[in-house]
Amino acid sequence: MNPSSTNTYTHYRVCNFCEAMCGLEITHDKKQVLSIKGDEKDPFSKGSICPKGAIMGDMYNDPDRLRKPLKKTNKGFVEIEWEEAFDIVGNRLNSIRTQYGNDAVGLYFGNPTVHNYGALLYVADFKKAVRSKNNYSATSMDQLPHHFASQFMFGNGMIIPIPDINRTDYMIIIGANPSASNGSIMSAGGVQKRLRDIQQRGGKYIVIDPRITETAKSADEHLFIQPDTDVYFLLAMLHIIIQEKKTNLKHVEKYSAGFEEIQSIATAYTPENVSQITGIKADDIRKITEEYLNTEKAVLYGRMGVSTQSHGGLCNWLINLINIITGHFDKPGGAMFTNPAVPVVRNIKGRKPYGRWKSRVRNLPEFQGELPVAAMVEEMETEGKGQIKALVTHAGNPVLSSPNGHRLDTALDGLEFMVSIDIYLNETTKHADIILPPTTGLEVDHYDIIFNSFAVSNTAKFSEALFPAQYGQLHDWQIFKALTKRLSKKKLPWLYRVSTPKLLLKLALLNGPYGNLSSIKRLFTGLTLRKIKKSVHGVDLGPLVPMFPKLLRTKDQKIHLAPQPFLDQLEVLHTRFKEEKDKLLDNEFRLIGRRHLRSNNTWMHNVEKLVSGKNRCTVMINTIDAERLGLKNEEEVVVKSRVGEVKIPVEVTKNIMSGVVSIPHGFGHHKKGTKLKVAEAHAGVSVNDLSDHDRIDTLTGNAAFSGQVVQIIK
Ligand SMILES: Nc1nc2c(c(=O)[nH]1)N[C@H]1C(S)=C(S)[C@@H](COP(=O)(O)OP(=O)(O)OC[C@H]3O[C@@H](n4cnc5c(=O)[nH]c(N)nc54)[C@H](O)[C@@H]3O)O[C@H]1N2
Ligand SMILES: Nc1nc2c(c(=O)[nH]1)N[C@H]1C(S)=C(S)[C@@H](COP(=O)(O)OP(=O)(O)OC[C@H]3O[C@@H](n4cnc5c(=O)[nH]c(N)nc54)[C@H](O)[C@@H]3O)O[C@H]1N2
Ligand code: SF4
Ligand SMILES: [Mo]
């Protein structure tokens, strides 16, 4: 905080709302933010900012944000003191555990948990104290298939390849819309400029998406694809590569296994055979594959759209596999890996990564300690040993974000006890008996542990809290610590009791690849928290560098090109491919989602500056389909699925594939009992009232949002 005149100051920090990690320059006085802009000197984001980063001050001031713990009474919620709130939570959860067992306490962690370094550093101990197998998070409706593929191929779920967007000359973007999302599992502040730069250096980027998205509009080429069929497209690419003997394994030959096994897996999937099901012409598949093969610095990148579908696991494996066997891997311009100052890839070799327990009702396997979120509601509803009787939510809004959300809305009322650690009284937290509201945004210190591990270059930056906690609020980590103390059956170690996130960060940096303990040479010159803090704009640790085979964590130190669970899943796919006759009724469509720059999942619609303008919660439908059904722009229709229906205005557009409709997720703020001011005109409906909890990726258990069949009723 440097005084820049008598009473205004400048503060530099990283925005933690999304994965892009934009550096912000904030001018303020002692109490208020005066202005926010992108920090031009930030070595990572170089001045980029989006409308969400610019409202951090509004979030700080939002009168609807909760400031004191709330307790539900017959007369509604009343404020109580922190110690009383912790005691109630401790006593109620402990008595439920005594009566029904540890698994009776369900846990749900939402997206901001990983954007908050304090929460992240203390959540593991909290989970250990609760010891419940009913552990869920947003991971299994998002990037679980990425972790799954990485675990089986590289030996650790966090070894996830990142497209080297800064140096590539050919990027195939499949099922991602970075111009709206600002990049995911590719932290890349200012991503639009990075995409333009590809073109400026003579390269190309191609978008494969059922919608002509914001990203597709500036792309060199866009191809429509039928939702939920990317696996066939990827197999056709593999088919061409193998058929034409264009594999190039030189760079990883010594440390890869399974090359023989992949030779015949794509035989049946000729471009001609998959053309009808994917909606992409065989010639186009050939052309793109050839261009990709013939460009030295090329990369295939897939995200949400190919992760949240029936074969998300296979898609992510195939994307990795294709990048590896064509020589576009661990090399500049291809799929690369970060070398973050705080490493997240731990040295646990050979631990069974999944299937150690299964969900009670649907028998779905655990992965890295979590069960698929699509199973959470049935574990609440179905009686018997292990039924969820109490729920803890942290930074999540599953009533709007999870499959069949309205079923969860009802199920939450049947719980014996619920506690939510959250900044808002929203569609989910309104069901809680106790709400514990932490600090957030400008009131917290921040160091991005997770997204520095998925970033397109290596940097380190520490953000101090700008304002102190208001009204005696506690930080997320302090709340976790207080609850851990009450729920732990063991005495907590001394170090845990005295620790703070800053202390843990200091130790992690010391042990990290740039820290004092990393080599004799660095003993006194390594990267420390003090040095990072001194560089207010951030420390540049350089571009991505080759990391293999050092980074590998498989027992035999090899990349596994053909792990058995994926080969087994291919058998399932073969059957589906043979049987699939996509006969939809005249008014049936395949549903996909969408994101908008001015919102973030379910929780930023309370900031008026962001929601203002036209209603963005519409169902997009192709012009030809609209004409066929006699639908006009803005006309309200009913969209119906197997599990529910919503009423929503139509948006007629040429920008969506015929036969496909799109509804954004995150809306549906009409529910009573919340403390949100979202105006009726912007409340929208929840697309997850339509998503079928039975639609999952059978390999990983991840929710399969894309491609759900819905009816449009005039
Ligand atoms: N149909 C469909 N469904 C989807 C998706 C989709 O594309 N389509 N996307 C999926 C994806 S990718 C994700 S990540 C999930 C997100 O699903 P969730 O994580 O369940 O939903 P969010 O909207 O991120 O909820 C964030 C919650 O955290 C609170 N919060 C914000 N900041 C803080 C903080 O600092 N501390 C605490 N304690 N709380 C805070 C907010 O008030 C809000 O209640 O949704 C998934 N659901
Ligand atoms: N502004 C904003 N930014 C965000 C978020 C937000 O809510 N708002 N959320 C954040 C979170 S939690 C995440 S996980 C990331 C996600 O980041 P992205 O993965 O970039 O997410 P989306 O914008 O949902 O892009 C998914 C794309 O897949 C397409 N798609 C849908 N189904 C299919 C399919 O079957 N096949 C193919 N090929 N494409 C398909 C959709 O049309 C869409 O363009 O964004 C993050 N950033
Ligand atoms: S792109 Fe993401 S990190 Fe950057 S300002 Fe917007 S919300 Fe914040
Ligand atoms: Mo996400």
Side-chain angles (χ1 to χ4, degrees), residues 208-470:
I208 300 178
D209 201 296
R211 183 165 78 86
I212 303 176
T213 59
E214 296 77 355
T215 311
K217 280 182 186 154
S218 317
D220 297 274
E221 220 167 304
H222 164 260
L223 296 174
F224 278 134
I225 187 166
Q226 281 289 349
D228 209 18
T229 67
D230 300 81
V231 63
Y232 303 113
F233 168 80
L234 293 164
L235 281 163
M237 277 187 82
L238 184 63
H239 176 96
I240 299 167
I241 294 160
I242 303 270
Q243 196 74 23
E244 296 186 0
K245 300 202 167 46
K246 291 278 175 64
T247 52
N248 166 8
L249 213 59
K250 251 197 330 244
H251 59 301
V252 293
E253 205 154 30
K254 281 200 211 112
Y255 51 89
S256 61
F259 190 58
E260 279 311 304
E261 281 98 311
I262 59 155
Q263 295 303 313
S264 56
I265 58 177
T267 312
Y269 301 100
T270 62
E272 288 70 21
N273 281 349
V274 307
S275 169
Q276 198 192 347
I277 195 168
T278 57
I280 305 184
K281 285 193 211 111
D283 283 350
D284 285 335
I285 304 178
R286 288 190 191 283
K287 181 178 151 261
I288 285 181
T289 311
E290 296 297 340
E291 286 179 353
Y292 164 82
L293 286 168
N294 294 334
T295 311
E296 200 193 322
K297 291 182 176 170
V299 67
L300 179 58
Y301 163 68
R303 210 21 218 113
M304 266 290 290
V306 288
S307 190
T308 56
Q309 57 167 280
S310 310
H311 292 286
L314 284 179
C315 287
N316 277 285
W317 164 59
L318 287 167
I319 289 171
N320 290 347
L321 182 66
I322 292 171
N323 281 326
I324 296 169
I325 64 165
T326 57
H328 296 118
F329 181 80
D330 200 32
K331 281 203 314 216
M336 296 195 78
F337 298 88
T338 52
N339 190 19
V342 176
V344 293
V345 175
R346 281 169 296 156
N347 283 317
I348 310 165
K349 283 190 196 172
R351 198 173 76 179
K352 196 178 170 204
Y354 93 125
R356 288 166 296 177
W357 64 85
K358 296 211 164 146
S359 73
R360 209 169 43 108
V361 181
R362 225 189 301 175
N363 219 22
L364 299 176
E366 148 279 347
F367 181 75
Q368 290 177 343
E370 286 186 24
L371 288 170
V373 80
M376 185 166 77
V377 62
E378 67 209 21
E379 294 297 328
M380 280 176 202
E381 290 173 345
T382 313
E383 284 178 19
K385 195 171 178 312
Q387 181 185 6
I388 299 177
K389 297 281 189 181
L391 183 70
V392 182
T393 69
H394 177 262
N397 192 1
V399 166
L400 295 190
S401 64
S402 73
N404 206 345
H406 64 138
R407 182 172 164 201
L408 183 67
D409 192 30
T410 310
L412 292 179
D413 285 331
L415 293 173
E416 290 190 13
F417 184 71
M418 176 168 162
V419 53
S420 291
I421 306 165
D422 205 288
I423 57 174
Y424 281 117
L425 175 50
N426 62 21
E427 299 77 10
T428 296
T429 61
K430 72 172 185 182
H431 293 280
D433 298 283
I434 299 284
I435 306 177
L436 304 170
T439 54
T440 192
L442 299 175
E443 300 147 346
V444 295
D445 303 332
H446 185 62
Y447 182 89
D448 227 310
I449 294 178
I450 294 297
F451 298 103
N452 272 311
S453 317
F454 299 139
V456 297
S457 67
N458 297 308
T459 50
K461 181 162 172 172
F462 187 81
S463 314
E464 295 280 4
L466 170 53
F467 297 121
Q470 307 172 75

Side-chain angles (χ1 to χ4, degrees), residues 52 142 177 180-181 208-209 228 230 304 595-596 599 601 706:
K52 296 185 294 300
D142 184 351
N177 185 12
S181 70
I208 300 178
D209 201 296
D228 209 18
D230 300 81
M304 266 290 290
R595 288 180 152 72
H596 194 281
S599 63
N601 296 329
S706 290

Side-chain angles (χ1 to χ4, degrees), residues 19 111 114-115 138-139 141-143 184 303-304 451 595 600-601 665:
E19 301 176 39
N111 171 270
V114 292
H115 288 272
T139 289
M141 39 190 179
D142 184 351
Q143 82 289 359
S184 182
R303 210 21 218 113
M304 266 290 290
F451 298 103
R595 288 180 152 72
N600 197 10
N601 296 329
H665 81 291

